[in-house]
Amino acid sequence: SSGINAEWPLRPGMQDLAQYTKQDPEKKRRTLEEFRQTVEGSSEATTLLQSWGLEVSPSILEVDGRKLQPEQILIKNGTFPCDARKESFDNITRKNFVIQSVDISNNYLIVCTSRDVTHSNTFKDTCARVGPACGINIQANGKVVSINSDRANDFIDAIRDNVTTDTKIVICLVPNDKKEKSTDCDSALIPLL
């Protein structure tokens, strides 16, 4: 898991963010008040806000609210309470079996650029290690297809050329977030990630 965290720099940032989003309401109020005072005490920040026609309110708006009970997550052996302030959803799902899963085994396809083959192998190993703990039969020997460019048509061609009747899922590891990286897998009825 630490290898994945090193390769995906967003993860530590998300953990830093969680220390603020998972606070109880009183601590959030104190943090916002400290932020307000910091901004108010900075002549540079005040000047910048005034140049935009903005100002920081002298107090935090108080609203009435209610505290809801933790959500119940439906798992194979019943339900599990999910209190987001105590445990993250991904930790809960890793510790409990899913209700029902497709038997993926080694019948999956990963399409990636040649420079992302190492990431695809890390992904396969992680799935093989974490999946069974959740009740998902996925192994580390799925097929990896390496393509030379990140063009959408190259991904589509690789999928068409390599999907078989046994393929349960196709995973595309794309090196960027271009929106055109989608394809029509309806004819093969294959889930595409």
Side-chain angles (χ1 to χ4, degrees):
S1 177
S2 61
I4 295 279
N5 287 344
E7 293 173 17
W8 301 99
L10 179 62
R11 187 118 177 122
M14 295 301 286
Q15 291 170 346
D16 292 342
L17 182 61
Q19 71 179 329
Y20 298 104
T21 60
K22 292 184 178 184
Q23 294 176 351
D24 63 74
E26 180 55 31
K27 184 154 180 153
K28 283 181 186 178
R29 189 198 63 73
R30 282 195 309 268
T31 302
L32 283 171
E33 182 61 34
E34 289 170 8
F35 174 74
R36 187 193 64 74
Q37 289 173 357
T38 300
V39 170
E40 200 173 71
S42 167
S43 60
E44 185 180 344
T46 304
T47 303
L48 181 62
L49 287 172
Q50 286 174 346
S51 73
W52 294 336
L54 300 172
E55 64 181 352
V56 177
S57 176
S59 63
I60 295 173
L61 177 65
E62 292 190 25
V63 295
D64 290 329
R66 60 188 170 139
K67 186 175 179 180
L68 300 174
Q69 293 297 316
E71 291 292 327
Q72 296 290 316
I73 298 176
L74 189 59
I75 55 175
K76 187 170 190 163
N77 299 323
T79 59
F80 189 91
C82 177
D83 188 343
R85 287 184 309 279
K86 295 179 182 171
E87 190 164 25
S88 66
F89 179 77
D90 58 337
N91 284 339
I92 292 168
T93 55
R94 274 190 296 228
K95 294 177 187 173
N96 296 282
F97 274 32
V98 295
I99 297 171
Q100 182 178 2
S101 70
V102 173
D103 184 12
I104 298 171
S105 187
N106 288 312
N107 299 319
Y108 60 96
L109 173 66
I110 299 177
V111 181
C112 63
T113 61
S114 54
R115 66 182 173 265
D116 287 327
V117 170
T118 303
H119 293 301
S120 72
N121 290 326
T122 301
F123 178 78
K124 287 191 325 178
D125 293 341
T126 302
C127 287
R129 188 178 68 251
V130 174
C134 304
I136 300 170
N137 179 21
I138 185 167
Q139 298 170 12
N141 295 317
K143 183 176 182 179
V144 175
V145 175
S146 171
I147 57 178
N148 293 325
S149 79
D150 65 351
R151 289 184 20 239
N153 283 342
D154 290 343
F155 278 89
I156 293 168
D157 291 343
I159 292 168
R160 285 188 181 137
D161 293 344
N162 292 281
V163 166
T164 68
T165 56
D166 293 330
T167 305
K168 304 289 188 203
I169 190 167
V170 174
I171 299 112
C172 293
L173 296 182
V174 294
N176 54 45
D177 62 355
K178 291 181 183 175
K179 302 300 184 226
E180 75 269 8
K181 295 272 188 318
S182 62
T183 185
D184 181 9
C185 287
D186 291 343
S187 60
L189 298 175
I190 304 285
L192 177 66
L193 296 179

